[in-house]
Amino acid sequence: MPSLVAETITRLVRVPTIGIGAGPMTSGQVLVLSDMLGMFDRFTPKFCRAFADLGPRMVSAVGEYKKAVRMAEFPAEGIHTYEMPMAAEERWRTYVQKQFGMELGPGGRTAQQAVPAPVSAATPEAS
């Protein structure tokens, strides 16, 4: 039995012992967080005990996040974003306009607006 071995070692050494599947006679225990929270339902090692069943809730949360991003509901400008001081914003707009020839919008998007495509810094001559 691993617990007999764990108890023997724990009593013989002068340092703490940590067990995973070795029974309760060690100085401490370790358990993988995803196993403890029940995040993976296909296989549970014998030494694990799920203290929650978060796997289905996590899948649902990720789906809700994906939908909110696609609908441009998250992140919401001014709610989930930090403010930029007006002087810094003007310096940034000037820099972007000079460097890339882009005029930036007022900030934020509505659900009808598409995410802007990335702008390549390469010029047609360099391609």
Side-chain angles (χ1 to χ4, degrees):
M1 270 244 175
S3 59
L4 291 176
V5 175
E7 180 183 4
T8 304
I9 293 170
T10 300
R11 292 175 66 183
L12 288 174
V13 299
R14 295 178 190 248
V15 296
T17 57
I18 304 297
I20 183 167
M25 300 306 295
T26 58
S27 307
Q29 297 292 322
V30 66
L31 187 57
V32 177
L33 184 63
S34 58
D35 293 335
M36 182 184 4
L37 298 179
M39 294 168 50
F40 186 71
D41 63 353
R42 291 185 212 143
F43 170 75
T44 302
K46 183 175 181 161
F47 54 82
C48 289
R49 175 178 164 194
F51 290 85
D53 186 20
L54 297 184
R57 291 179 65 193
M58 290 176 60
V59 169
S60 175
V62 169
E64 289 178 38
Y65 165 76
K66 180 180 173 182
K67 179 181 173 187
V69 169
R70 286 191 171 172
M71 297 297 295
E73 298 169 353
F74 180 84
E77 191 73 38
I79 297 172
H80 306 112
T81 59
Y82 291 97
E83 295 294 322
M84 179 183 271
M86 187 61 74
E89 181 179 328
E90 286 305 316
R91 285 194 308 271
W92 180 254
R93 288 177 181 281
T94 300
Y95 171 79
V96 169
Q97 206 290 319
K98 286 181 181 177
Q99 195 70 22
F100 304 105
M102 272 192 327
E103 292 291 333
L104 298 174
R109 296 192 309 264
T110 65
Q112 291 79 28
Q113 293 173 314
V115 176
V119 176
S120 172
T123 60
E125 300 83 46
S127 300

